[in-house]
Amino acid sequence: MSQRNSNGWEPRTRLGRMVQEGDVTSMQQALDTGLPLKEPQIVDQLLPGLEDEVLDINMVQRMTDSGRRVKFRCVVAIGNRDGFLGYAEARDDQVGSAIQKAIDVAKLNIIKVDRGSGSWEDSAGGVNSLTRKAEGKAGSVTVEIMPAPQGLGLAAAETVRNILELAGVQDAWTRSNGNTRTTVNLAKATYNALKNASQSRTPRRAREKQQEASD
């Protein structure tokens, strides 16, 4: 029988129950289980203090049999500025509801960003940049993110920079092609780049350096 916790959440998935029962105590552990993340409350519990950034709000009109319907499309990124990042788009009749919907969906899209020092000359175990070049696409937009040494900062457009900052990436070179004025595609391509990089195998030398730093 499932139990409610102090904030009234009653887990409905196996992963949710594992979190509530204390078998999973970190976001990394939750992602490592390979179980689907279907409850935003899991992220609330494992990553308290997540920040959110509304990247774009657009009014979308659609004609129906009963007349013209207006909805708001909201694009949101969330992160803890320390390696975890989520992204989502959502629509609703009200702006506030669209934002909240997007935040909840972004929690279900949370990823661990594969961070590194950005340069072999930097000290082992750094997490100021990425371990390798990342590339992502959305619509006509392609975004490339390249590792950079500590102190460079973020050479990026505002939307890309906001997402990298939420992910905890402090130093990177970036390049974007396509219709980059479309915020939704630029944001999604940036998220996809970081997601693709997190799913790629970390280069052996970088992995060894990370292991040295944790020993």
Side-chain angles (χ1 to χ4, degrees):
M1 180 176 163
S2 58
Q3 299 178 334
R4 291 179 185 271
N5 66 6
S6 57
N7 63 12
W9 172 44
E10 185 178 345
R12 299 183 180 277
T13 63
R14 182 180 169 197
L15 181 57
R17 289 188 289 273
M18 289 171 73
V19 169
Q20 191 179 66
E21 290 163 11
D23 297 327
V24 170
T25 57
S26 72
M27 199 67 238
Q28 184 64 64
Q29 265 187 298
L31 295 176
D32 286 346
T33 65
L35 294 170
L37 182 56
K38 294 184 175 179
E39 298 177 273
Q41 295 91 339
I42 291 172
V43 181
D44 293 338
Q45 191 147 323
L46 298 178
L47 283 179
L50 268 182
E51 295 181 38
D52 58 80
E53 181 95 26
V54 178
L55 302 170
D56 192 44
I57 298 175
N58 260 323
M59 192 168 66
V60 181
Q61 297 187 40
R62 188 163 62 94
M63 289 301 296
T64 65
D65 293 339
S66 55
R68 181 174 294 166
R69 286 198 68 184
V70 174
K71 286 202 169 190
F72 295 93
R73 184 188 67 191
C74 181
V75 179
V76 163
I78 61 170
N80 70 340
R81 297 185 184 270
D82 192 23
F84 287 98
L85 175 76
Y87 167 88
E89 306 159 35
R91 298 184 184 201
D92 199 89
D93 298 335
Q94 303 294 324
V95 173
S97 300
I99 292 172
Q100 191 54 54
K101 268 187 188 177
I103 290 172
D104 284 345
V105 176
K107 289 174 182 175
L108 306 184
N109 293 333
I110 206 100
I111 58 171
K112 177 69 187 292
V113 176
D114 194 11
R115 295 182 299 163
S117 66
S119 169
W120 300 124
E121 285 76 36
D122 290 345
S123 58
V127 290
N128 56 292
S129 190
L130 301 181
T131 58
R132 63 194 299 160
K133 176 182 167 184
E135 182 176 313
K137 295 182 179 181
S140 70
V141 177
T142 300
V143 169
E144 292 177 72
I145 307 167
M146 284 77 73
Q150 193 160 16
L152 175 85
L154 295 172
E158 184 181 6
T159 297
V160 177
R161 188 171 65 248
N162 287 341
I163 293 173
L164 292 174
E165 287 175 348
L166 283 172
V169 176
Q170 300 165 27
D171 302 288
W173 282 291
T174 67
R175 185 166 57 212
S176 53
N177 297 301
N179 186 9
T180 55
R181 287 176 299 176
T182 308
T183 301
V184 59
N185 284 344
L186 185 59
K188 192 171 185 178
T190 305
Y191 170 78
N192 286 341
L194 295 171
K195 185 178 180 181
N196 291 340
S198 73
Q199 290 172 343
S200 300
R201 194 177 65 214
T202 302
R204 190 178 74 177
R205 191 171 171 195
R207 193 164 58 242
E208 286 170 354
K209 278 183 170 284
Q210 288 170 352
Q211 186 60 45
E212 285 168 17
S214 61
D215 286 346

